[in-house]
Amino acid sequence: MASPTCSADQLAQLFGANTTDAAGAASFICDQFTAVSDRFTDTAYAVDSTYLLFSAYLVFAMQLGFAMLCAGSVRAKNTMNIMLTNVLDAAAGGLFYYVFGFAFAFGSPSNGFIGRHNFALHKMPSALFDYSYFLYQWAFAIAAAGITSGSIAERTQFVAYLIYSSFLTGFVYPVVSHWFWSPDGWASAGNTGNLLFGSGVIDFAGSGVVHMVGGFAGLYGALIEGPRIGRFDHSGRAVALRGHSASLVVLGTFLLWFGWYGFNPGSFAKILSPYTSGNFYGQWSAVGRTAVTTTLAGCSAALTTLFVKRIFSGHWNVTDVCNGLLGGFAAITAGCSVVEPWAAVICGFVAALVLIGCNILAEKVKFDDPLEAAQLHGGCGAWGATMGPLFFVLHKLNLLRISAEDEMAGMDLTRHGGFAYVYHDDDEPNKNGIQMRKIEPSSQS
């Protein structure tokens, strides 16, 4: 939005011949006008920066959603472990994205593959980026890492979590986001000098950049580690290892739903941009429509999952509905800013069918993902293939999977000093290695 200008010379000519010091008067008026104009410009920057910061806070709140969803989806004996990994996704991701990640993603000028400026936020803020943009992109980076942690839950060594989380947030995710979101990226729609296929790739809020990266990283990790002990019986038939708290799953889902309003609408990065000055329709309208399409896709996917799973299983399952809802959100994220609301409903419907199909295929090939993260987030993946070699190296170095004894006993007991809950585990009446006494409720006289 161009700022209006004031010319003292032109204004002085409008004063009458009898005006004393017309030039001085015109200069004074223009100075006041410029000061007011500057204040409006400052306000616009402040509003846009505040909007982006608030969106970053919403996306960061998704970490709490991931933590609750993960905690409810695993068995009680691994609650502390999965909660700690979610905390460290944010903490380790913060340092590695600060030192390396942001520079690899958006350091400009650069080549089409990787950024090479602004390491450790050197020369920030600039005309291109302010600190609020770094915070927003960091929240995206740790979201990708959070997706992966769900796929390899309940059987992964803690050191492996630290290594993969740091590598994912410090290198893998930043390189992908550079490709698609940096003006220099080889596939970016902002690379006007060399547009791929004449248009570039439009992934508005990260269906591919965030969800495919995290989902396919989790896919490779879970494939290399193998399923949890007891997930499939000796005949190869799937055995349900249910999470211990549907309440936490629902709480996490609602928190993620809330955070998605920062994830998708927030990707505009600014809101105070009128399309036609003085008109009711501006970027704020596009922000609102993006929130609507996001909502409709999730709702459509949730209801589709509810009824399809009812036909298959014969009952109404809340955790299936929660996963279907999140699958709809992940699917609409790429095109949320450009699709019509009716198209968002169709997008969510198809996303639910894709998720159900991926889950059926996962059981057929004996793939074990406690949170269905690979199926949900990585249903059509790409670059997360680069996490495969890292997980393979960790596996060969015996740094990836915990021992069978630790897995049966639960990592809360063997690695984290004790259980998060006093609980009764009906799924595992016989344990090898460390024995656990079940706590029965005492009778009250």
Side-chain angles (χ1 to χ4, degrees), residues 269-305:
K270 58 177 62 177
I271 191 171
L272 198 57
S273 298
Y275 296 153
T276 302
S277 186
N279 194 286
F280 66 89
Y281 187 62
Q283 189 138 299
W284 48 86
S285 302
V287 168
R289 187 178 72 169
T290 299
V292 169
T293 57
T294 300
T295 302
L296 292 176
C299 293
S300 173
L303 290 176
T304 302
T305 304

Side-chain angles (χ1 to χ4, degrees), residues 223-298:
L223 283 174
I224 292 170
E225 274 196 294
R228 291 167 291 173
I229 296 173
R231 179 65 177 89
F232 299 95
D233 63 19
H234 294 296
S235 64
R237 185 176 55 188
V239 177
L241 299 180
R242 294 182 179 87
H244 80 282
S245 176
S247 300
L248 288 178
V249 170
V250 172
L251 175 61
T253 299
F254 274 114
L255 287 169
L256 288 168
W257 188 341
F258 180 64
W260 233 291
Y261 292 125
F263 207 95
N264 287 4
S267 291
F268 281 96
K270 58 177 62 177
I271 191 171
L272 198 57
S273 298
Y275 296 153
T276 302
S277 186
N279 194 286
F280 66 89
Y281 187 62
Q283 189 138 299
W284 48 86
S285 302
V287 168
R289 187 178 72 169
T290 299
V292 169
T293 57
T294 300
T295 302
L296 292 176

Side-chain angles (χ1 to χ4, degrees), residues 393-414:
V393 170
L394 291 174
H395 173 68
K396 287 300 183 181
L397 294 176
N398 293 321
L399 294 176
L400 186 59
R401 184 156 185 161
I402 59 175
S403 66
E405 291 78 12
D406 283 359
E407 186 172 342
M408 295 297 291
M411 286 184 284
D412 284 5
L413 178 64
T414 63

Side-chain angles (χ1 to χ4, degrees), residues 361-381:
L361 178 63
E363 287 197 358
K364 294 289 185 183
V365 299
K366 299 181 177 61
F367 174 74
D368 180 23
D369 183 336
L371 272 80
E372 300 178 7
Q375 300 95 298
L376 194 160
H377 297 278
C380 40

